Amino acid sequence: MGRKRVTLADVARLAGLSQTAASMILTGRPDTRLSAEAHARVHAAAAELGYRPNLAARALRTDKTRTIAFISDVVATTRFANGLIRGTLEAADKAGHVVLLLETGGEPAREVQAIEAALDRQVDGFIFAAMRAREVFVPSLPAANRVVMLNATSRKHPVSVLPDEFEAGRAAIRLLDSAGIREGLALIGHNQVVEEGYFRSETVSRRLAGIRAEMDQRGMSFLAEESCWNWEAAHGYELVKGLLDRRVPVEALLCLNDRLAFGAYQALGEAGLRIPRDMPVVSFDNDELAADLRPGLTTFALPHEQMGQEAVRLLLAPEVEPFEHLIAMTAVLRQSLANIGGAD
């Protein structure tokens, strides 16, 4: 047989106070007017007895379960995007909440099942997350449920948390300009369909919009724009190798993500070109491997953990402005850019 559950009445009895007084102390009520010595007795009694609050009973009293539903497409099983979950879990824990993680694989039927499972558990709110920043269709929810979109947008739910891709694009051009690179710049990974067409990505479109806006302002232009559908190392290798084989007089590379940059490093190394002396490279995302490259890759970091934390803050806030909340992408300066990341 299991040990009898310790109750609030047991704690109050040991501390020599009323159950109401013990409850006010343990729930952190600021207006208890009870002495510091009384607070100490209650907390000592709770620790001695191993008291844990009855969350089910509290939920019945307050109509709050202190549970957040985190529903994603493939975030939970994607190494690069799992910072969204880490940030969410950390912020929820600090706020005294737990997180129910549900992954749908992007399948509509599983999305409905996930929502129903969360509603059955009477969650206090929903965070809908996507691996690739895009507009997400959210199935119908009861009006009382609060929703925050994380790395995603929704026409029905206007509160969203996104990386500030537009400003990161502008900052990348400012960084290159400050290193003396104004001509001979090649863009690696441009894709008009993803930038503007049916498969439009908020990440790609805003990142490129910021890049182009800053270049226009500074009177700069790309010498070459190399396109590919996927942003993987193999594609970066092929694009940069093609530039070198065609003897395009490129002087620097701006890669649209770090995986493309990894491939660019390989192509440059095969051609006997040194980074950054012969070819500076700047990128986006701050993949875990970016610091392990030699030389280290200068890149703009996706703030996934901070985004997860902000999503929880917005979900639990008394009032929230119904618009996009942008989180800055900071420059991680390494040696792939001369006179900036420490290289010469």
mmCIF file of all heavy atoms in Angstrom, residues 196-236:
data_model
loop_
_atom_site.group_PDB
_atom_site.id
_atom_site.type_symbol
_atom_site.label_atom_id
_atom_site.label_comp_id
_atom_site.label_asym_id
_atom_site.label_seq_id
_atom_site.Cartn_x
_atom_site.Cartn_y
_atom_site.Cartn_z
ATOM 1 N N GLU A 196 8.608 34.330 -52.745
ATOM 2 C CA GLU A 196 7.407 35.074 -53.122
ATOM 3 C C GLU A 196 6.233 34.190 -53.545
ATOM 4 O O GLU A 196 5.102 34.664 -53.581
ATOM 5 C CB GLU A 196 7.735 36.023 -54.299
ATOM 6 C CG GLU A 196 8.823 37.027 -53.980
ATOM 7 C CD GLU A 196 9.225 37.826 -55.219
ATOM 8 O OE1 GLU A 196 8.749 37.489 -56.315
ATOM 9 O OE2 GLU A 196 10.020 38.752 -55.076
ATOM 10 N N GLY A 197 6.471 32.930 -53.890
ATOM 11 C CA GLY A 197 5.442 32.109 -54.516
ATOM 12 C C GLY A 197 4.593 31.307 -53.559
ATOM 13 O O GLY A 197 4.419 31.644 -52.377
ATOM 14 N N TYR A 198 4.053 30.197 -54.067
ATOM 15 C CA TYR A 198 3.098 29.376 -53.318
ATOM 16 C C TYR A 198 3.704 28.834 -52.031
ATOM 17 O O TYR A 198 3.023 28.731 -51.012
ATOM 18 C CB TYR A 198 2.623 28.221 -54.207
ATOM 19 C CG TYR A 198 1.628 27.308 -53.536
ATOM 20 C CD1 TYR A 198 0.295 27.696 -53.381
ATOM 21 C CD2 TYR A 198 2.022 26.066 -53.047
ATOM 22 C CE1 TYR A 198 -0.617 26.864 -52.749
ATOM 23 C CE2 TYR A 198 1.114 25.226 -52.412
ATOM 24 C CZ TYR A 198 -0.199 25.626 -52.266
ATOM 25 O OH TYR A 198 -1.092 24.796 -51.642
ATOM 26 N N PHE A 199 4.983 28.476 -52.061
ATOM 27 C CA PHE A 199 5.644 27.912 -50.887
ATOM 28 C C PHE A 199 6.359 28.995 -50.071
ATOM 29 O O PHE A 199 7.356 28.743 -49.417
ATOM 30 C CB PHE A 199 6.655 26.826 -51.311
ATOM 31 C CG PHE A 199 5.998 25.617 -51.884
ATOM 32 C CD1 PHE A 199 5.940 25.436 -53.256
ATOM 33 C CD2 PHE A 199 5.427 24.666 -51.053
ATOM 34 C CE1 PHE A 199 5.331 24.317 -53.794
ATOM 35 C CE2 PHE A 199 4.819 23.542 -51.585
ATOM 36 C CZ PHE A 199 4.770 23.359 -52.954
ATOM 37 N N ARG A 200 5.817 30.197 -50.109
ATOM 38 C CA ARG A 200 6.443 31.334 -49.444
ATOM 39 C C ARG A 200 6.722 31.035 -47.969
ATOM 40 O O ARG A 200 5.880 30.547 -47.238
ATOM 41 C CB ARG A 200 5.537 32.557 -49.537
ATOM 42 C CG ARG A 200 6.113 33.816 -48.923
ATOM 43 C CD ARG A 200 5.146 34.981 -49.101
ATOM 44 N NE ARG A 200 5.688 36.220 -48.593
ATOM 45 C CZ ARG A 200 5.582 36.613 -47.321
ATOM 46 N NH1 ARG A 200 4.956 35.832 -46.453
ATOM 47 N NH2 ARG A 200 6.090 37.751 -46.921
ATOM 48 N N SER A 201 7.942 31.363 -47.572
ATOM 49 C CA SER A 201 8.362 31.204 -46.186
ATOM 50 C C SER A 201 8.551 32.582 -45.571
ATOM 51 O O SER A 201 9.207 33.444 -46.154
ATOM 52 C CB SER A 201 9.685 30.418 -46.118
ATOM 53 O OG SER A 201 10.333 30.636 -44.886
ATOM 54 N N GLU A 202 7.964 32.784 -44.377
ATOM 55 C CA GLU A 202 8.177 34.057 -43.693
ATOM 56 C C GLU A 202 9.661 34.295 -43.444
ATOM 57 O O GLU A 202 10.163 35.412 -43.575
ATOM 58 C CB GLU A 202 7.416 34.067 -42.361
ATOM 59 C CG GLU A 202 5.912 34.068 -42.495
ATOM 60 C CD GLU A 202 5.379 35.373 -43.063
ATOM 61 O OE1 GLU A 202 6.101 36.384 -43.023
ATOM 62 O OE2 GLU A 202 4.248 35.384 -43.561
ATOM 63 N N THR A 203 10.385 33.223 -43.108
ATOM 64 C CA THR A 203 11.813 33.345 -42.842
ATOM 65 C C THR A 203 12.558 33.844 -44.071
ATOM 66 O O THR A 203 13.283 34.836 -44.013
ATOM 67 C CB THR A 203 12.397 31.985 -42.410
ATOM 68 O OG1 THR A 203 11.736 31.553 -41.230
ATOM 69 C CG2 THR A 203 13.887 32.099 -42.138
ATOM 70 N N VAL A 204 12.368 33.158 -45.205
ATOM 71 C CA VAL A 204 13.103 33.497 -46.415
ATOM 72 C C VAL A 204 12.702 34.873 -46.933
ATOM 73 O O VAL A 204 13.550 35.700 -47.266
ATOM 74 C CB VAL A 204 12.870 32.431 -47.503
ATOM 75 C CG1 VAL A 204 13.593 32.817 -48.777
ATOM 76 C CG2 VAL A 204 13.316 31.070 -47.019
ATOM 77 N N SER A 205 11.414 35.123 -46.994
ATOM 78 C CA SER A 205 10.957 36.371 -47.596
ATOM 79 C C SER A 205 11.415 37.583 -46.801
ATOM 80 O O SER A 205 11.872 38.580 -47.370
ATOM 81 C CB SER A 205 9.431 36.363 -47.733
ATOM 82 O OG SER A 205 8.814 36.239 -46.469
ATOM 83 N N ARG A 206 11.323 37.526 -45.492
ATOM 84 C CA ARG A 206 11.730 38.681 -44.680
ATOM 85 C C ARG A 206 13.248 38.833 -44.632
ATOM 86 O O ARG A 206 13.755 39.943 -44.621
ATOM 87 C CB ARG A 206 11.154 38.554 -43.272
ATOM 88 C CG ARG A 206 9.633 38.550 -43.259
ATOM 89 C CD ARG A 206 9.092 38.551 -41.860
ATOM 90 N NE ARG A 206 7.646 38.327 -41.854
ATOM 91 C CZ ARG A 206 6.857 38.568 -40.814
ATOM 92 N NH1 ARG A 206 7.391 39.018 -39.681
ATOM 93 N NH2 ARG A 206 5.567 38.343 -40.882
ATOM 94 N N ARG A 207 13.944 37.721 -44.562
ATOM 95 C CA ARG A 207 15.412 37.780 -44.552
ATOM 96 C C ARG A 207 15.913 38.439 -45.828
ATOM 97 O O ARG A 207 16.757 39.337 -45.797
ATOM 98 C CB ARG A 207 15.974 36.361 -44.411
ATOM 99 C CG ARG A 207 17.466 36.281 -44.184
ATOM 100 C CD ARG A 207 17.902 34.836 -43.940
ATOM 101 N NE ARG A 207 17.395 34.315 -42.671
ATOM 102 C CZ ARG A 207 17.659 33.101 -42.198
ATOM 103 N NH1 ARG A 207 18.405 32.262 -42.916
ATOM 104 N NH2 ARG A 207 17.175 32.718 -41.038
ATOM 105 N N LEU A 208 15.379 38.000 -46.963
ATOM 106 C CA LEU A 208 15.796 38.569 -48.244
ATOM 107 C C LEU A 208 15.321 40.008 -48.416
ATOM 108 O O LEU A 208 16.028 40.842 -48.986
ATOM 109 C CB LEU A 208 15.276 37.704 -49.385
ATOM 110 C CG LEU A 208 16.166 36.496 -49.700
ATOM 111 C CD1 LEU A 208 15.401 35.448 -50.463
ATOM 112 C CD2 LEU A 208 17.393 36.933 -50.467
ATOM 113 N N ALA A 209 14.131 40.313 -47.903
ATOM 114 C CA ALA A 209 13.636 41.687 -47.997
ATOM 115 C C ALA A 209 14.554 42.638 -47.245
ATOM 116 O O ALA A 209 14.848 43.749 -47.714
ATOM 117 C CB ALA A 209 12.218 41.772 -47.444
ATOM 118 N N GLY A 210 15.023 42.219 -46.070
ATOM 119 C CA GLY A 210 15.950 43.051 -45.310
ATOM 120 C C GLY A 210 17.282 43.222 -46.029
ATOM 121 O O GLY A 210 17.856 44.322 -46.058
ATOM 122 N N ILE A 211 17.767 42.133 -46.615
ATOM 123 C CA ILE A 211 19.023 42.189 -47.372
ATOM 124 C C ILE A 211 18.904 43.189 -48.521
ATOM 125 O O ILE A 211 19.752 44.070 -48.708
ATOM 126 C CB ILE A 211 19.382 40.784 -47.909
ATOM 127 C CG1 ILE A 211 19.825 39.871 -46.753
ATOM 128 C CG2 ILE A 211 20.478 40.874 -48.978
ATOM 129 C CD1 ILE A 211 19.950 38.405 -47.149
ATOM 130 N N ARG A 212 17.821 43.058 -49.287
ATOM 131 C CA ARG A 212 17.665 43.913 -50.469
ATOM 132 C C ARG A 212 17.413 45.371 -50.077
ATOM 133 O O ARG A 212 17.899 46.288 -50.749
ATOM 134 C CB ARG A 212 16.537 43.371 -51.339
ATOM 135 C CG ARG A 212 16.825 41.958 -51.871
ATOM 136 C CD ARG A 212 15.827 41.545 -52.936
ATOM 137 N NE ARG A 212 15.906 40.113 -53.224
ATOM 138 C CZ ARG A 212 16.873 39.529 -53.927
ATOM 139 N NH1 ARG A 212 17.872 40.266 -54.402
ATOM 140 N NH2 ARG A 212 16.856 38.229 -54.155
ATOM 141 N N ALA A 213 16.667 45.603 -49.006
ATOM 142 C CA ALA A 213 16.401 46.977 -48.573
ATOM 143 C C ALA A 213 17.697 47.681 -48.182
ATOM 144 O O ALA A 213 17.928 48.843 -48.548
ATOM 145 C CB ALA A 213 15.422 46.972 -47.400
ATOM 146 N N GLU A 214 18.555 46.983 -47.447
ATOM 147 C CA GLU A 214 19.813 47.610 -47.018
ATOM 148 C C GLU A 214 20.758 47.810 -48.193
ATOM 149 O O GLU A 214 21.455 48.828 -48.268
ATOM 150 C CB GLU A 214 20.472 46.743 -45.943
ATOM 151 C CG GLU A 214 21.661 47.403 -45.244
ATOM 152 C CD GLU A 214 21.268 48.586 -44.381
ATOM 153 O OE1 GLU A 214 20.109 48.638 -43.919
ATOM 154 O OE2 GLU A 214 22.133 49.467 -44.162
ATOM 155 N N MET A 215 20.786 46.868 -49.115
ATOM 156 C CA MET A 215 21.647 47.022 -50.292
ATOM 157 C C MET A 215 21.179 48.194 -51.149
ATOM 158 O O MET A 215 22.003 48.983 -51.636
ATOM 159 C CB MET A 215 21.667 45.732 -51.112
ATOM 160 C CG MET A 215 22.357 44.578 -50.407
ATOM 161 S SD MET A 215 22.554 43.114 -51.444
ATOM 162 C CE MET A 215 23.987 43.572 -52.426
ATOM 163 N N ASP A 216 19.875 48.323 -51.319
ATOM 164 C CA ASP A 216 19.344 49.461 -52.085
ATOM 165 C C ASP A 216 19.739 50.784 -51.425
ATOM 166 O O ASP A 216 20.130 51.738 -52.102
ATOM 167 C CB ASP A 216 17.826 49.370 -52.194
ATOM 168 C CG ASP A 216 17.373 48.258 -53.133
ATOM 169 O OD1 ASP A 216 18.212 47.765 -53.905
ATOM 170 O OD2 ASP A 216 16.181 47.887 -53.076
ATOM 171 N N GLN A 217 19.628 50.815 -50.112
ATOM 172 C CA GLN A 217 19.951 52.047 -49.392
ATOM 173 C C GLN A 217 21.413 52.417 -49.546
ATOM 174 O O GLN A 217 21.768 53.602 -49.587
ATOM 175 C CB GLN A 217 19.597 51.884 -47.913
ATOM 176 C CG GLN A 217 19.811 53.134 -47.077
ATOM 177 C CD GLN A 217 19.302 52.960 -45.659
ATOM 178 O OE1 GLN A 217 18.238 52.392 -45.433
ATOM 179 N NE2 GLN A 217 20.061 53.448 -44.697
ATOM 180 N N ARG A 218 22.279 51.429 -49.645
ATOM 181 C CA ARG A 218 23.721 51.659 -49.736
ATOM 182 C C ARG A 218 24.227 51.649 -51.175
ATOM 183 O O ARG A 218 25.439 51.745 -51.403
ATOM 184 C CB ARG A 218 24.468 50.611 -48.915
ATOM 185 C CG ARG A 218 24.211 50.740 -47.416
ATOM 186 C CD ARG A 218 24.762 49.586 -46.614
ATOM 187 N NE ARG A 218 24.446 49.770 -45.202
ATOM 188 C CZ ARG A 218 25.252 50.360 -44.318
ATOM 189 N NH1 ARG A 218 26.455 50.778 -44.688
ATOM 190 N NH2 ARG A 218 24.882 50.510 -43.061
ATOM 191 N N GLY A 219 23.339 51.496 -52.144
ATOM 192 C CA GLY A 219 23.761 51.485 -53.532
ATOM 193 C C GLY A 219 24.570 50.257 -53.900
ATOM 194 O O GLY A 219 25.438 50.322 -54.787
ATOM 195 N N MET A 220 24.283 49.136 -53.266
ATOM 196 C CA MET A 220 25.003 47.891 -53.520
ATOM 197 C C MET A 220 24.134 46.947 -54.345
ATOM 198 O O MET A 220 22.910 47.085 -54.392
ATOM 199 C CB MET A 220 25.390 47.217 -52.192
ATOM 200 C CG MET A 220 26.327 48.038 -51.321
ATOM 201 S SD MET A 220 26.512 47.348 -49.641
ATOM 202 C CE MET A 220 27.236 45.731 -49.993
ATOM 203 N N SER A 221 24.773 45.972 -54.982
ATOM 204 C CA SER A 221 24.045 44.941 -55.718
ATOM 205 C C SER A 221 24.864 43.661 -55.711
ATOM 206 O O SER A 221 26.081 43.687 -55.506
ATOM 207 C CB SER A 221 23.767 45.380 -57.159
ATOM 208 O OG SER A 221 24.987 45.596 -57.852
ATOM 209 N N PHE A 222 24.180 42.533 -55.926
ATOM 210 C CA PHE A 222 24.870 41.249 -55.973
ATOM 211 C C PHE A 222 25.515 41.049 -57.335
ATOM 212 O O PHE A 222 24.921 41.353 -58.374
ATOM 213 C CB PHE A 222 23.899 40.100 -55.711
ATOM 214 C CG PHE A 222 23.481 39.972 -54.276
ATOM 215 C CD1 PHE A 222 22.171 40.216 -53.906
ATOM 216 C CD2 PHE A 222 24.399 39.601 -53.303
ATOM 217 C CE1 PHE A 222 21.767 40.089 -52.589
ATOM 218 C CE2 PHE A 222 24.009 39.483 -51.978
ATOM 219 C CZ PHE A 222 22.690 39.731 -51.622
ATOM 220 N N LEU A 223 26.725 40.526 -57.320
ATOM 221 C CA LEU A 223 27.375 40.122 -58.566
ATOM 222 C C LEU A 223 26.714 38.862 -59.114
ATOM 223 O O LEU A 223 26.606 38.681 -60.332
ATOM 224 C CB LEU A 223 28.866 39.867 -58.322
ATOM 225 C CG LEU A 223 29.680 39.366 -59.511
ATOM 226 C CD1 LEU A 223 29.725 40.428 -60.601
ATOM 227 C CD2 LEU A 223 31.096 38.982 -59.068
ATOM 228 N N ALA A 224 26.271 37.977 -58.204
ATOM 229 C CA ALA A 224 25.627 36.726 -58.617
ATOM 230 C C ALA A 224 24.621 36.315 -57.553
ATOM 231 O O ALA A 224 24.823 36.562 -56.358
ATOM 232 C CB ALA A 224 26.672 35.621 -58.803
ATOM 233 N N GLU A 225 23.516 35.690 -58.000
ATOM 234 C CA GLU A 225 22.519 35.109 -57.102
ATOM 235 C C GLU A 225 22.321 33.661 -57.514
ATOM 236 O O GLU A 225 21.772 33.391 -58.582
ATOM 237 C CB GLU A 225 21.206 35.881 -57.159
ATOM 238 C CG GLU A 225 21.307 37.317 -56.661
ATOM 239 C CD GLU A 225 19.942 37.977 -56.497
ATOM 240 O OE1 GLU A 225 18.941 37.240 -56.298
ATOM 241 O OE2 GLU A 225 19.880 39.220 -56.565
ATOM 242 N N GLU A 226 22.784 32.746 -56.690
ATOM 243 C CA GLU A 226 22.735 31.320 -57.005
ATOM 244 C C GLU A 226 21.546 30.678 -56.294
ATOM 245 O O GLU A 226 21.406 30.778 -55.076
ATOM 246 C CB GLU A 226 24.041 30.648 -56.586
ATOM 247 C CG GLU A 226 25.272 31.226 -57.284
ATOM 248 C CD GLU A 226 25.187 31.091 -58.794
ATOM 249 O OE1 GLU A 226 25.197 29.944 -59.282
ATOM 250 O OE2 GLU A 226 25.083 32.130 -59.490
ATOM 251 N N SER A 227 20.687 30.007 -57.072
ATOM 252 C CA SER A 227 19.432 29.501 -56.543
ATOM 253 C C SER A 227 19.457 27.996 -56.338
ATOM 254 O O SER A 227 20.092 27.252 -57.093
ATOM 255 C CB SER A 227 18.278 29.850 -57.498
ATOM 256 O OG SER A 227 18.149 31.242 -57.635
ATOM 257 N N CYS A 228 18.719 27.546 -55.308
ATOM 258 C CA CYS A 228 18.486 26.120 -55.087
ATOM 259 C C CYS A 228 17.219 25.966 -54.260
ATOM 260 O O CYS A 228 16.790 26.902 -53.576
ATOM 261 C CB CYS A 228 19.673 25.452 -54.385
ATOM 262 S SG CYS A 228 20.022 26.090 -52.738
ATOM 263 N N TRP A 229 16.612 24.778 -54.341
ATOM 264 C CA TRP A 229 15.364 24.546 -53.634
ATOM 265 C C TRP A 229 15.622 24.249 -52.158
ATOM 266 O O TRP A 229 14.962 24.782 -51.272
ATOM 267 C CB TRP A 229 14.615 23.389 -54.285
ATOM 268 C CG TRP A 229 13.339 23.058 -53.580
ATOM 269 C CD1 TRP A 229 13.083 21.995 -52.763
ATOM 270 C CD2 TRP A 229 12.128 23.816 -53.608
ATOM 271 N NE1 TRP A 229 11.804 22.034 -52.288
ATOM 272 C CE2 TRP A 229 11.187 23.151 -52.797
ATOM 273 C CE3 TRP A 229 11.747 24.999 -54.247
ATOM 274 C CZ2 TRP A 229 9.896 23.622 -52.603
ATOM 275 C CZ3 TRP A 229 10.460 25.464 -54.048
ATOM 276 C CH2 TRP A 229 9.545 24.785 -53.240
ATOM 277 N N ASN A 230 16.582 23.369 -51.870
ATOM 278 C CA ASN A 230 16.892 22.996 -50.491
ATOM 279 C C ASN A 230 18.148 23.708 -50.011
ATOM 280 O O ASN A 230 19.056 23.990 -50.800
ATOM 281 C CB ASN A 230 17.089 21.488 -50.363
ATOM 282 C CG ASN A 230 15.786 20.737 -50.542
ATOM 283 O OD1 ASN A 230 14.763 21.135 -50.004
ATOM 284 N ND2 ASN A 230 15.828 19.662 -51.309
ATOM 285 N N TRP A 231 18.199 23.973 -48.729
ATOM 286 C CA TRP A 231 19.350 24.655 -48.137
ATOM 287 C C TRP A 231 20.192 23.647 -47.347
ATOM 288 O O TRP A 231 20.257 23.685 -46.126
ATOM 289 C CB TRP A 231 18.883 25.766 -47.216
ATOM 290 C CG TRP A 231 18.350 26.979 -47.924
ATOM 291 C CD1 TRP A 231 18.271 27.195 -49.263
ATOM 292 C CD2 TRP A 231 17.830 28.160 -47.313
ATOM 293 N NE1 TRP A 231 17.732 28.421 -49.538
ATOM 294 C CE2 TRP A 231 17.446 29.038 -48.344
ATOM 295 C CE3 TRP A 231 17.634 28.556 -45.998
ATOM 296 C CZ2 TRP A 231 16.888 30.295 -48.094
ATOM 297 C CZ3 TRP A 231 17.078 29.796 -45.743
ATOM 298 C CH2 TRP A 231 16.719 30.654 -46.783
ATOM 299 N N GLU A 232 20.804 22.742 -48.050
ATOM 300 C CA GLU A 232 21.663 21.741 -47.418
ATOM 301 C C GLU A 232 23.099 21.923 -47.895
ATOM 302 O O GLU A 232 23.367 22.601 -48.889
ATOM 303 C CB GLU A 232 21.177 20.322 -47.742
ATOM 304 C CG GLU A 232 19.766 20.019 -47.257
ATOM 305 C CD GLU A 232 19.629 20.054 -45.742
ATOM 306 O OE1 GLU A 232 20.666 19.910 -45.043
ATOM 307 O OE2 GLU A 232 18.501 20.227 -45.260
ATOM 308 N N ALA A 233 24.028 21.292 -47.175
ATOM 309 C CA ALA A 233 25.454 21.468 -47.472
ATOM 310 C C ALA A 233 25.790 21.072 -48.907
ATOM 311 O O ALA A 233 26.588 21.742 -49.577
ATOM 312 C CB ALA A 233 26.285 20.656 -46.482
ATOM 313 N N ALA A 234 25.187 20.003 -49.393
ATOM 314 C CA ALA A 234 25.482 19.541 -50.756
ATOM 315 C C ALA A 234 25.111 20.604 -51.776
ATOM 316 O O ALA A 234 25.804 20.778 -52.795
ATOM 317 C CB ALA A 234 24.729 18.239 -51.042
ATOM 318 N N HIS A 235 24.025 21.334 -51.526
ATOM 319 C CA HIS A 235 23.600 22.366 -52.468
ATOM 320 C C HIS A 235 24.525 23.577 -52.405
ATOM 321 O O HIS A 235 24.853 24.171 -53.437
ATOM 322 C CB HIS A 235 22.162 22.771 -52.170
ATOM 323 C CG HIS A 235 21.212 21.616 -52.205
ATOM 324 N ND1 HIS A 235 20.846 20.931 -51.066
ATOM 325 C CD2 HIS A 235 20.579 20.997 -53.234
ATOM 326 C CE1 HIS A 235 20.020 19.954 -51.401
ATOM 327 N NE2 HIS A 235 19.840 19.965 -52.702
ATOM 328 N N GLY A 236 24.966 23.928 -51.207
ATOM 329 C CA GLY A 236 25.929 25.016 -51.090
ATOM 330 C C GLY A 236 27.227 24.692 -51.804
ATOM 331 O O GLY A 236 27.821 25.553 -52.470
#
